[in-house]
PDB file of all heavy atoms in Angstrom:
ATOM      1  N   ARG F 289      -2.271  16.202  -1.032  1.00 90.00           N
ATOM      2  CA  ARG F 289      -2.308  17.046  -2.214  1.00 90.00           C
ATOM      3  C   ARG F 289      -0.875  17.497  -2.635  1.00 90.00           C
ATOM      4  O   ARG F 289      -0.630  17.680  -3.850  1.00 90.00           O
ATOM      5  CB  ARG F 289      -3.077  18.284  -1.877  1.00 90.00           C
ATOM      6  CG  ARG F 289      -4.508  18.328  -2.350  1.00 90.00           C
ATOM      7  CD  ARG F 289      -5.048  19.649  -1.952  1.00 90.00           C
ATOM      8  NE  ARG F 289      -4.034  20.255  -1.005  1.00 90.00           N
ATOM      9  CZ  ARG F 289      -3.919  21.545  -0.781  1.00 90.00           C
ATOM     10  NH1 ARG F 289      -4.693  22.334  -1.379  1.00 90.00           N
ATOM     11  NH2 ARG F 289      -3.047  22.001   0.013  1.00 90.00           N
ATOM     12  N   SER F 304      -6.144  20.967  -5.798  1.00 90.00           N
ATOM     13  CA  SER F 304      -7.420  21.076  -5.067  1.00 90.00           C
ATOM     14  C   SER F 304      -8.558  21.464  -6.050  1.00 90.00           C
ATOM     15  O   SER F 304      -9.595  20.886  -6.134  1.00 90.00           O
ATOM     16  CB  SER F 304      -7.277  22.063  -3.967  1.00 90.00           C
ATOM     17  OG  SER F 304      -8.195  21.823  -2.932  1.00 90.00           O
ATOM     18  N   TYR F 330      -4.115   8.561  -5.266  1.00 93.00           N
ATOM     19  CA  TYR F 330      -4.405   9.604  -4.287  1.00 93.00           C
ATOM     20  C   TYR F 330      -5.802   9.569  -3.806  1.00 93.00           C
ATOM     21  O   TYR F 330      -6.748   9.469  -4.620  1.00 93.00           O
ATOM     22  CB  TYR F 330      -4.072  10.998  -4.876  1.00 93.00           C
ATOM     23  CG  TYR F 330      -4.578  12.162  -4.029  1.00 93.00           C
ATOM     24  CD1 TYR F 330      -4.051  12.359  -2.771  1.00 93.00           C
ATOM     25  CD2 TYR F 330      -5.581  12.973  -4.541  1.00 93.00           C
ATOM     26  CE1 TYR F 330      -4.531  13.415  -2.009  1.00 93.00           C
ATOM     27  CE2 TYR F 330      -6.008  14.075  -3.808  1.00 93.00           C
ATOM     28  CZ  TYR F 330      -5.512  14.295  -2.532  1.00 93.00           C
ATOM     29  OH  TYR F 330      -5.915  15.323  -1.825  1.00 93.00           O
ATOM     30  N   ASN F 333      -8.312  13.290   1.885  1.00 95.00           N
ATOM     31  CA  ASN F 333      -8.640  13.017   3.233  1.00 95.00           C
ATOM     32  C   ASN F 333      -9.908  13.780   3.589  1.00 95.00           C
ATOM     33  O   ASN F 333      -9.993  14.997   3.615  1.00 95.00           O
ATOM     34  CB  ASN F 333      -7.528  13.434   4.154  1.00 95.00           C
ATOM     35  CG  ASN F 333      -7.769  13.172   5.574  1.00 95.00           C
ATOM     36  OD1 ASN F 333      -8.864  13.441   6.118  1.00 95.00           O
ATOM     37  ND2 ASN F 333      -6.808  12.602   6.286  1.00 95.00           N
ATOM     38  N   ALA F 336      -9.926  16.251   6.741  1.00 95.00           N
ATOM     39  CA  ALA F 336      -9.426  17.552   6.521  1.00 95.00           C
ATOM     40  C   ALA F 336     -10.425  18.379   5.766  1.00 95.00           C
ATOM     41  O   ALA F 336     -10.686  19.570   6.117  1.00 95.00           O
ATOM     42  CB  ALA F 336      -8.143  17.486   5.678  1.00 95.00           C
ATOM     43  N   ALA F 340     -12.116  21.864   7.062  1.00 94.00           N
ATOM     44  CA  ALA F 340     -12.009  23.121   6.254  1.00 94.00           C
ATOM     45  C   ALA F 340     -13.306  23.782   5.966  1.00 94.00           C
ATOM     46  O   ALA F 340     -13.449  24.970   6.037  1.00 94.00           O
ATOM     47  CB  ALA F 340     -11.179  22.782   5.049  1.00 94.00           C
TER      48      ALA F 340
ATOM     49  P    DG Q 266      -1.691  14.628   6.908  1.00 91.38           P
ATOM     50  OP1  DG Q 266      -1.695  13.148   6.754  1.00 91.38           O
ATOM     51  OP2  DG Q 266      -0.404  15.345   6.804  1.00 91.38           O
ATOM     52  O5'  DG Q 266      -2.713  15.259   5.943  1.00 91.38           O
ATOM     53  C5'  DG Q 266      -4.071  14.727   5.943  1.00 91.38           C
ATOM     54  C4'  DG Q 266      -4.959  15.698   5.197  1.00 91.38           C
ATOM     55  O4'  DG Q 266      -4.967  16.931   5.917  1.00 91.38           O
ATOM     56  C3'  DG Q 266      -4.517  16.022   3.759  1.00 91.38           C
ATOM     57  O3'  DG Q 266      -5.654  15.975   2.945  1.00 91.38           O
ATOM     58  C2'  DG Q 266      -3.980  17.423   3.927  1.00 91.38           C
ATOM     59  C1'  DG Q 266      -4.804  17.957   5.008  1.00 91.38           C
ATOM     60  N9   DG Q 266      -4.294  19.101   5.714  1.00 91.38           N
ATOM     61  C8   DG Q 266      -2.954  19.371   5.957  1.00 91.38           C
ATOM     62  N7   DG Q 266      -2.732  20.443   6.727  1.00 91.38           N
ATOM     63  C5   DG Q 266      -4.003  20.908   6.913  1.00 91.38           C
ATOM     64  C6   DG Q 266      -4.441  22.122   7.655  1.00 91.38           C
ATOM     65  O6   DG Q 266      -3.734  22.910   8.231  1.00 91.38           O
ATOM     66  N1   DG Q 266      -5.842  22.231   7.617  1.00 91.38           N
ATOM     67  C2   DG Q 266      -6.687  21.345   7.064  1.00 91.38           C
ATOM     68  N2   DG Q 266      -7.981  21.636   7.111  1.00 91.38           N
ATOM     69  N3   DG Q 266      -6.305  20.245   6.388  1.00 91.38           N
ATOM     70  C4   DG Q 266      -4.965  20.113   6.316  1.00 91.38           C
ATOM     71  P    DT Q 267      -5.585  15.977   1.391  1.00 91.38           P
ATOM     72  OP1  DT Q 267      -5.715  14.597   0.944  1.00 91.38           O
ATOM     73  OP2  DT Q 267      -4.515  16.812   0.961  1.00 91.38           O
ATOM     74  O5'  DT Q 267      -7.042  16.603   1.108  1.00 91.38           O
ATOM     75  C5'  DT Q 267      -7.089  17.981   0.824  1.00 91.38           C
ATOM     76  C4'  DT Q 267      -8.118  18.672   1.670  1.00 91.38           C
ATOM     77  O4'  DT Q 267      -7.503  19.137   2.844  1.00 91.38           O
ATOM     78  C3'  DT Q 267      -8.794  19.826   1.025  1.00 91.38           C
ATOM     79  O3'  DT Q 267     -10.018  19.476   0.465  1.00 91.38           O
ATOM     80  C2'  DT Q 267      -8.948  20.893   2.130  1.00 91.38           C
ATOM     81  C1'  DT Q 267      -7.971  20.383   3.203  1.00 91.38           C
ATOM     82  N1   DT Q 267      -6.779  21.264   3.458  1.00 91.38           N
ATOM     83  C2   DT Q 267      -7.008  22.483   4.079  1.00 91.38           C
ATOM     84  O2   DT Q 267      -8.059  22.910   4.424  1.00 91.38           O
ATOM     85  N3   DT Q 267      -5.874  23.204   4.285  1.00 91.38           N
ATOM     86  C4   DT Q 267      -4.574  22.812   3.913  1.00 91.38           C
ATOM     87  O4   DT Q 267      -3.604  23.603   4.136  1.00 91.38           O
ATOM     88  C5   DT Q 267      -4.424  21.558   3.213  1.00 91.38           C
ATOM     89  C7   DT Q 267      -3.102  21.095   2.820  1.00 91.38           C
ATOM     90  C6   DT Q 267      -5.547  20.865   2.955  1.00 91.38           C
ATOM     91  P    DT Q 268     -10.536  20.406  -0.729  1.00 91.38           P
ATOM     92  OP1  DT Q 268     -11.746  19.747  -1.197  1.00 91.38           O
ATOM     93  OP2  DT Q 268      -9.450  20.688  -1.631  1.00 91.38           O
ATOM     94  O5'  DT Q 268     -10.858  21.786  -0.005  1.00 91.38           O
ATOM     95  C5'  DT Q 268     -11.976  21.860   0.855  1.00 91.38           C
ATOM     96  C4'  DT Q 268     -12.111  23.259   1.367  1.00 91.38           C
ATOM     97  O4'  DT Q 268     -10.852  23.743   1.956  1.00 91.38           O
ATOM     98  C3'  DT Q 268     -12.489  24.315   0.291  1.00 91.38           C
ATOM     99  O3'  DT Q 268     -13.415  25.189   0.827  1.00 91.38           O
ATOM    100  C2'  DT Q 268     -11.146  25.010  -0.017  1.00 91.38           C
ATOM    101  C1'  DT Q 268     -10.466  25.000   1.359  1.00 91.38           C
ATOM    102  N1   DT Q 268      -9.040  25.008   1.332  1.00 91.38           N
ATOM    103  C2   DT Q 268      -8.353  25.980   2.121  1.00 91.38           C
ATOM    104  O2   DT Q 268      -8.973  26.853   2.738  1.00 91.38           O
ATOM    105  N3   DT Q 268      -6.984  25.907   2.082  1.00 91.38           N
ATOM    106  C4   DT Q 268      -6.217  24.988   1.442  1.00 91.38           C
ATOM    107  O4   DT Q 268      -4.974  24.997   1.476  1.00 91.38           O
ATOM    108  C5   DT Q 268      -6.939  23.977   0.689  1.00 91.38           C
ATOM    109  C7   DT Q 268      -6.228  22.946  -0.071  1.00 91.38           C
ATOM    110  C6   DT Q 268      -8.304  24.075   0.649  1.00 91.38           C
ATOM    111  P    DA Q 269     -14.191  26.257  -0.022  1.00 91.38           P
ATOM    112  OP1  DA Q 269     -15.531  26.448   0.602  1.00 91.38           O
ATOM    113  OP2  DA Q 269     -14.028  25.843  -1.424  1.00 91.38           O
ATOM    114  O5'  DA Q 269     -13.320  27.532   0.273  1.00 91.38           O
ATOM    115  C5'  DA Q 269     -13.147  28.015   1.599  1.00 91.38           C
ATOM    116  C4'  DA Q 269     -12.462  29.348   1.528  1.00 91.38           C
ATOM    117  O4'  DA Q 269     -11.000  29.090   1.454  1.00 91.38           O
ATOM    118  C3'  DA Q 269     -12.860  30.205   0.376  1.00 91.38           C
ATOM    119  O3'  DA Q 269     -12.716  31.594   0.822  1.00 91.38           O
ATOM    120  C2'  DA Q 269     -11.828  29.876  -0.655  1.00 91.38           C
ATOM    121  C1'  DA Q 269     -10.577  29.719   0.214  1.00 91.38           C
ATOM    122  N9   DA Q 269      -9.569  28.854  -0.377  1.00 91.38           N
ATOM    123  C8   DA Q 269      -9.690  27.791  -1.189  1.00 91.38           C
ATOM    124  N7   DA Q 269      -8.542  27.239  -1.499  1.00 91.38           N
ATOM    125  C5   DA Q 269      -7.596  27.963  -0.827  1.00 91.38           C
ATOM    126  C6   DA Q 269      -6.198  27.850  -0.707  1.00 91.38           C
ATOM    127  N6   DA Q 269      -5.497  26.912  -1.345  1.00 91.38           N
ATOM    128  N1   DA Q 269      -5.576  28.759   0.116  1.00 91.38           N
ATOM    129  C2   DA Q 269      -6.268  29.681   0.702  1.00 91.38           C
ATOM    130  N3   DA Q 269      -7.582  29.888   0.708  1.00 91.38           N
ATOM    131  C4   DA Q 269      -8.214  28.987  -0.113  1.00 91.38           C
ATOM    132  P    DT Q 270     -13.471  32.703  -0.093  1.00 91.38           P
ATOM    133  OP1  DT Q 270     -14.758  32.816   0.548  1.00 91.38           O
ATOM    134  OP2  DT Q 270     -13.310  32.453  -1.538  1.00 91.38           O
ATOM    135  O5'  DT Q 270     -12.582  34.004   0.304  1.00 91.38           O
ATOM    136  C5'  DT Q 270     -11.886  34.021   1.566  1.00 91.38           C
ATOM    137  C4'  DT Q 270     -10.593  34.734   1.412  1.00 91.38           C
ATOM    138  O4'  DT Q 270      -9.611  33.839   0.896  1.00 91.38           O
ATOM    139  C3'  DT Q 270     -10.606  35.875   0.393  1.00 91.38           C
ATOM    140  O3'  DT Q 270      -9.980  37.026   0.976  1.00 91.38           O
ATOM    141  C2'  DT Q 270      -9.832  35.364  -0.780  1.00 91.38           C
ATOM    142  C1'  DT Q 270      -8.869  34.449  -0.115  1.00 91.38           C
ATOM    143  N1   DT Q 270      -8.286  33.406  -0.963  1.00 91.38           N
ATOM    144  C2   DT Q 270      -6.919  33.139  -0.941  1.00 91.38           C
ATOM    145  O2   DT Q 270      -6.159  33.777  -0.320  1.00 91.38           O
ATOM    146  N3   DT Q 270      -6.516  32.118  -1.784  1.00 91.38           N
ATOM    147  C4   DT Q 270      -7.292  31.305  -2.614  1.00 91.38           C
ATOM    148  O4   DT Q 270      -6.860  30.439  -3.254  1.00 91.38           O
ATOM    149  C5   DT Q 270      -8.735  31.593  -2.526  1.00 91.38           C
ATOM    150  C7   DT Q 270      -9.679  30.825  -3.372  1.00 91.38           C
ATOM    151  C6   DT Q 270      -9.163  32.559  -1.741  1.00 91.38           C
ATOM    152  P    DC Q 271     -10.323  38.492   0.325  1.00 91.38           P
ATOM    153  OP1  DC Q 271     -10.762  39.365   1.442  1.00 91.38           O
ATOM    154  OP2  DC Q 271     -11.096  38.353  -0.923  1.00 91.38           O
ATOM    155  O5'  DC Q 271      -8.806  38.906  -0.087  1.00 91.38           O
ATOM    156  C5'  DC Q 271      -7.717  38.346   0.594  1.00 91.38           C
ATOM    157  C4'  DC Q 271      -6.450  38.476  -0.208  1.00 91.38           C
ATOM    158  O4'  DC Q 271      -6.289  37.216  -1.010  1.00 91.38           O
ATOM    159  C3'  DC Q 271      -6.514  39.556  -1.289  1.00 91.38           C
ATOM    160  O3'  DC Q 271      -5.304  40.230  -1.254  1.00 91.38           O
ATOM    161  C2'  DC Q 271      -6.686  38.800  -2.633  1.00 91.38           C
ATOM    162  C1'  DC Q 271      -5.929  37.494  -2.272  1.00 91.38           C
ATOM    163  N1   DC Q 271      -6.365  36.330  -3.119  1.00 91.38           N
ATOM    164  C2   DC Q 271      -5.405  35.355  -3.476  1.00 91.38           C
ATOM    165  O2   DC Q 271      -4.280  35.466  -3.094  1.00 91.38           O
ATOM    166  N3   DC Q 271      -5.807  34.313  -4.226  1.00 91.38           N
ATOM    167  C4   DC Q 271      -7.071  34.195  -4.602  1.00 91.38           C
ATOM    168  N4   DC Q 271      -7.437  33.119  -5.373  1.00 91.38           N
ATOM    169  C5   DC Q 271      -8.028  35.206  -4.281  1.00 91.38           C
ATOM    170  C6   DC Q 271      -7.670  36.233  -3.553  1.00 91.38           C
TER     171       DC Q 271
END
Side-chain angles (χ1 to χ4, degrees):
Chain F
R289 259 182 350 155
S304 205
Y330 168 64
N333 182 315

